[in-house]
Amino acid sequence: MDVAAGNPARTRDEDAIGTPPASPTLVPAERYYSPAFAALEIERMWPKVWQIACMVDHVWQPGDYFEYRCGPYGVLIVRGDDGVLRAFQNACRHRGNSLCVGSGSGLREIKCGYHGWTWDLAGVLKRVPNRKGFGSLRMSDFPLVPARVEVWEGLVFINLDVNAAPLHEYLEEVPDDIAWCNLGEFRCYATLTVDVEANWKTIADGYSETYHIQTLHPELLRCVDDIHAPQRIWGHTGKSDQPYGVQSPRFEGRLSDEEVWDAYVYTQGALMGAAEGTPFPADERLPGQTVQDVIAARTRAFAATRGVDLDWADTDRITRLHQYNVFPNMTFLANADHLTIMCSRPGPDPDHGEMVMFLMTRLPPGAPHTKPTDIRMSATEAEPGVVLTQDIQLLPGLQRGLHQPGFTHLVLSSEERRVINMHRNLEHYLDLPEPERMTDGGPSVKT
């Protein structure tokens, strides 16, 4: 165990299921397609939760701005002339026109393109054309409506509720639990937004459990232990971690080291700079080394080509993937040299949503800040790797199935406790009456 890296004591035989509950948890299926339920989310939940909006590199310089959208809501994030990061509801105080679209740089003032009302970058109203026609109009009465904005490890979060609890309280144990990874050293080089035919919860559920790996991701199953994947639930947040570079116990040890290596290269070889088909480097293997050790060594060498020193990270830090869920719609996947942040957002109706991926790389200290490239495409166009492409292709059929009249409830196990926890939080924000709540399978899913 590498104490310097902060490796926690770990029960290696802890599995993803834990102690089974007395019975499954039943979640009403209509939550995933009901317009009334989606409207309730828009009214009671989305304006009250912290959401990741962009990276600090999107708004690094004075005059940089970024428009964040979630359902009908829009938030304008702006770096002021004074260097302060602020957020405002993206609406002109005159007639409600959206003030900025997309992202950009060099903003000196915020001017409505409809009638010309103009604010400074701190949200103070400065100009109103033909002001006398409004009678006694006090400029100070019409600042831009503020929203909360906070930055954690280079990630910009917003909350429409200006009285919301601070972000660090909302994130609970996550910052301390992942502090060893130094997330602030990662930089986002691109964001990918994929339009999918699925509810935002349908999307989010897919990265909240490992139960589906054995069926949907057979290639991945050959190089990840999907059974010994302990989970924790804190409240708004939860966690699971899985060792990679090992075969699933479901194979009962039948796979050779070469087969495990080939599966890792095929599904995520880019993480160690290995092209598809790269053979197992038997000549690099030292006595006593495992496949995981070889993967870790290759990953350190690949990081060194970017000027990144990973000598502080042992094999477990490099090959164990830590997955954190943050209610309602965010997850991030992290190890010593990998960070991918994913979130889902509602689309124009409950059967459509967006999957958003923030693609990151660790850079050496002092690396310059550059704006990420923002890309949007349809689900048929998107191929963000073998595993994620399989997830995306499944979503439309999954969403259709939820509509079937004989399918009334999702039936969830304790392995799917992070999905259950999302619904538990959702019920709290929506203040659902008891008859509309899920049927809990027992206390073990809460631990």
Side-chain angles (χ1 to χ4, degrees):
M1 183 173 71
D2 186 352
V3 177
N7 283 16
R10 187 181 304 281
T11 304
R12 295 290 177 179
D13 61 355
E14 183 181 357
D15 64 29
I17 295 174
T19 303
S23 60
T25 296
L26 304 181
V27 178
E30 66 176 0
R31 294 184 181 185
Y32 287 78
Y33 58 80
S34 164
F37 195 87
L40 204 59
E41 293 174 340
I42 292 295
E43 175 191 351
R44 299 182 182 178
M45 187 272 287
W46 290 113
K48 299 290 184 180
V49 293
W50 284 100
Q51 304 165 56
I52 184 171
C54 63
M55 297 289 118
V56 73
D57 282 352
H58 280 106
V59 284
W60 184 251
Q61 297 290 343
D64 286 352
Y65 65 93
F66 187 93
E67 175 204 22
Y68 173 71
R69 294 186 190 178
C70 180
Y73 300 117
V75 176
L76 177 60
I77 304 165
V78 180
R79 179 75 67 178
D81 300 324
D82 54 2
V84 175
L85 194 64
R86 298 180 177 88
F88 308 101
Q89 294 183 23
N90 193 12
C92 175
R93 295 298 303 276
H94 173 218
R95 296 264 291 276
N97 183 43
S98 296
L99 295 165
C100 291
V101 176
S103 62
S105 302
L107 198 66
R108 296 186 178 183
E109 59 185 15
I110 302 170
K111 182 178 180 180
C112 178
Y114 197 7
H115 297 94
W117 284 39
T118 304
W119 291 260
D120 66 18
L121 300 189
V124 177
L125 184 59
K126 292 299 184 182
R127 291 195 305 276
V128 174
N130 302 326
R131 179 179 170 185
K132 66 180 181 179
F134 292 93
S136 179
L137 183 150
R138 292 191 304 176
M139 307 285 271
S140 60
D141 287 344
F142 298 95
L144 294 180
V145 179
R148 288 286 295 274
V149 60
E150 293 192 33
V151 178
W152 172 62
E153 296 288 9
L155 318 179
V156 179
F157 288 77
I158 62 92
N159 195 319
L160 284 164
D161 182 4
V162 295
N163 297 313
L167 176 63
H168 76 272
E169 292 183 15
Y170 193 89
L171 293 175
E172 299 166 333
E173 303 299 321
V174 171
D176 288 342
D177 197 80
I178 196 61
W180 63 270
C181 196
N182 299 316
L183 294 184
E185 294 180 3
F186 286 91
R187 299 286 177 80
C188 180
Y189 60 88
T191 70
L192 174 62
T193 300
V194 182
D195 295 309
V196 295
E197 296 178 4
N199 186 268
W200 70 270
K201 295 183 291 297
T202 307
I203 302 168
D205 288 355
Y207 45 71
S208 299
E209 46 89 0
T210 56
Y211 184 35
H212 69 279
I213 291 178
Q214 59 185 307
T215 305
L216 184 61
H217 305 311
E219 302 89 350
L220 186 62
L221 191 70
R222 302 168 75 85
C223 63
V224 63
D225 185 343
D226 60 319
I227 291 179
H228 300 110
Q231 300 186 73
R232 297 187 66 183
I233 298 296
W234 289 299
H236 284 111
T237 59
K239 177 193 177 183
S240 175
D241 59 81
Q242 308 88 34
Y244 279 67
V246 295
Q247 59 186 288
S248 169
R250 302 179 196 279
F251 288 105
E252 299 179 337
R254 295 190 301 271
L255 300 183
S256 66
D257 288 349
E258 288 77 11
E259 288 175 305
V260 174
W261 168 270
D262 289 345
Y264 188 88
V265 169
Y266 181 63
T267 58
Q268 54 221 297
L271 300 182
M272 59 178 180
E276 184 176 342
T278 300
F280 181 64
D283 56 332
E284 298 177 12
R285 188 176 189 172
L286 301 176
Q289 280 194 329
T290 64
V291 177
Q292 283 183 305
D293 293 326
V294 176
I295 290 171
R298 277 288 185 102
T299 303
R300 290 189 197 96
F302 180 55
T305 65
R306 307 191 308 272
V308 173
D309 182 1
L310 285 184
D311 287 345
W312 58 269
D314 64 6
T315 293
D316 188 70
R317 286 302 191 199
I318 293 176
T319 59
R320 182 176 293 273
L321 191 66
H322 299 254
Q323 180 168 339
Y324 295 86
N325 294 83
V326 180
F327 179 80
N329 62 337
M330 172 187 169
T331 190
F332 62 93
L333 310 164
N335 62 31
D337 198 42
H338 173 65
L339 177 63
T340 297
I341 301 169
M342 302 177 63
C343 63
S344 59
R345 298 171 190 160
D349 59 64
D351 287 317
H352 291 81
E354 300 174 348
M355 175 186 284
V356 185
M357 286 163 267
F358 296 85
L359 309 177
M360 319 283 287
T361 189
R362 190 187 290 276
L363 295 180
H369 290 266
T370 57
K371 282 184 179 292
T373 301
D374 299 318
I375 304 167
R376 189 179 196 108
M377 61 181 58
S378 67
T380 56
E381 299 171 304
E383 295 185 357
V386 175
V387 175
L388 285 175
T389 299
Q390 290 170 338
D391 288 326
I392 291 171
Q393 291 175 344
L394 178 83
L395 290 171
L398 178 54
Q399 186 68 25
R400 285 194 302 273
L402 292 166
H403 279 272
Q404 305 314 304
F407 186 82
T408 60
H409 291 79
L410 285 73
V411 183
L412 303 181
S413 75
S414 58
E415 198 286 333
E416 297 160 296
R417 71 190 69 181
R418 286 175 289 153
V419 178
I420 295 170
N421 191 55
M422 184 274 289
H423 281 281
R424 184 176 295 115
N425 278 290
L426 192 59
E427 290 177 349
H428 169 72
Y429 278 87
L430 271 52
D431 193 24
L432 295 182
E434 193 63 33
E436 296 179 18
R437 292 176 178 259
M438 61 183 172
T439 303
D440 205 334
S444 67
V445 300
K446 299 180 181 178
T447 60

